[in-house]
Amino acid sequence: MTEYLAALQAAYPILVYAIVLMFGMIFGSFLNVVIHRLPVMMERDWQAQAREVLGQEPSLATEPYNLVVPRSACPGCGRQIKAIENIPVVSYLFLRGRCAGCGMHISARYPAVELATGILFVLVVAKLGLTPAGLAGVTLTFALIGASMIDYDHQLIPDDISLPLMWLGLIVNYFDVIVGFRDAFWGAVAGYLCLWTVYQAFKLVTGKEGMGYGDFKLLAALGAFMGWQMLPLIVILSSFVGAIIGGALIVFGRDRSHPIPFGPYLAIAGFIALLWGHELTTTWLQFTAVK
């Protein structure tokens, strides 16, 4: 099967990438739902747990709220969004970025997430192919986008994303899909302990928390997918990306009182390492080799 898909990709690359782009944008549309609803679901769950601990009556709100129901609706007029109005990117352009009911402006972030997901899926398939590694790569990419956007909005990385992602990386690499299982196992362990140690040292010196536990778990997931060997590159790249993007956001007027989360930088670094990590490591070693 893998040989057939590789031959198909070699014979009809444009067609394959167009299909991957289309499916990527569809998954990106679902990601918009995840990014918006998962934090709300988590908050409701926390409130329910708090009521139980305090011995209070449970909330009277019984309407289900999850990733499937209720149907998406305009926050302005409450009009339910029809299927024809929910075609990734196309519907946004056709509606000129406004609700068909009340004309309320729709954030350009929705089509941006859809298009970015499609493009990143294409990059993964172009690099890793229509293979088990490619499938694992698009799954990791999907999760990284969701975790990044939620962390940017709420300064948290949900365990519902990071922990299943770590376990998936270990399961995938049990079959040596990307790296060997031993490397994946120690990648998960070292990924968590690496940032946990930095966190504890920073807290000991300054008395402040420099990052959240979600960052530890996300790096553990990246280690589980790519092995412990990629962790130094991911940490260095994330710091480099963070310095560039953080500086640019400050220069262009971002509120300095609003914290800049580290999760998106880890995700970008992890994506780069997934596709070009070996080339970057080899180039760096050659550059720094003593002749």
Side-chain angles (χ1 to χ4, degrees):
M1 185 64 176
T2 302
E3 292 78 6
Y4 171 77
L5 292 175
L8 181 65
Q9 183 175 353
Y12 306 102
I14 302 300
L15 175 61
V16 169
Y17 297 148
I19 294 174
V20 172
L21 178 65
M22 179 186 69
F23 276 99
M25 290 192 296
I26 292 172
F27 277 96
S29 181
F30 177 66
L31 259 181
N32 281 321
V33 177
V34 174
I35 293 165
H36 175 72
R37 295 193 181 191
L38 184 56
V40 177
M41 293 163 55
M42 293 170 61
E43 183 176 355
R44 290 190 176 193
D45 185 51
W46 294 336
Q47 290 176 349
Q49 293 180 32
R51 286 178 176 273
E52 183 178 355
V53 170
L54 295 174
Q56 299 177 354
E57 293 293 328
S59 174
L60 297 178
T62 57
E63 294 182 1
Y65 187 90
N66 51 51
L67 299 180
V68 179
V69 293
R71 287 181 55 185
S72 298
C74 172
C77 63
R79 176 179 176 274
Q80 288 189 342
I81 298 174
K82 299 178 181 179
I84 193 66
E85 299 167 355
N86 209 23
I87 302 173
V89 180
V90 175
S91 292
Y92 182 87
L93 296 175
F94 181 77
L95 295 171
R96 298 182 179 179
R98 296 192 176 275
C99 172
C102 64
M104 178 181 177
H105 175 70
I106 302 171
S107 173
R109 195 173 88 167
Y110 294 112
V113 169
E114 294 165 354
L115 185 59
T117 304
I119 291 173
L120 294 181
F121 275 24
V122 170
L123 289 176
V124 172
V125 172
K127 181 66 175 179
L128 302 180
L130 295 173
T131 62
L135 178 59
V138 297
T139 303
L140 175 61
T141 302
F142 176 85
L144 290 178
I145 296 171
S148 297
M149 297 305 296
I150 292 174
D151 196 23
Y152 181 82
D153 289 339
H154 302 280
Q155 286 74 56
L156 65 88
I157 299 175
D159 287 350
D160 289 346
I161 293 178
S162 59
L163 296 183
L165 194 64
M166 182 190 70
W167 285 110
L168 180 61
L170 293 173
I171 293 170
V172 163
N173 287 319
Y174 180 82
F175 302 98
D176 299 330
V177 171
I178 298 178
V179 296
F181 180 73
R182 183 183 295 271
D183 291 339
F185 173 81
W186 288 113
V189 173
Y192 187 91
L193 292 179
C194 173
L195 292 186
W196 180 87
T197 303
V198 173
Y199 166 88
Q200 295 295 342
F202 183 84
K203 186 176 181 180
L204 181 64
V205 173
T206 66
K208 300 178 181 180
E209 297 182 355
M211 62 181 67
Y213 278 70
D215 298 321
F216 315 161
K217 299 167 190 175
L218 183 60
L219 187 58
L222 293 173
F225 265 87
M226 289 173 270
W228 62 269
Q229 295 90 337
M230 281 295 165
L231 292 177
L233 176 65
I234 292 172
V235 172
I236 293 172
L237 281 176
S238 62
S239 301
F240 182 71
V241 171
I244 294 176
I245 297 180
L249 289 173
I250 292 174
V251 169
F252 288 103
R254 180 189 173 101
D255 183 4
R256 298 192 182 192
S257 64
H258 185 75
I260 301 175
F262 190 57
Y265 308 145
L266 273 179
I268 294 172
F271 181 80
I272 294 172
L274 174 69
L275 300 190
W276 302 288
H278 293 292
E279 290 89 338
L280 289 172
T281 302
T282 301
T283 301
W284 173 255
L285 291 176
Q286 291 176 346
F287 180 76
T288 57
V290 179
K291 298 183 180 179

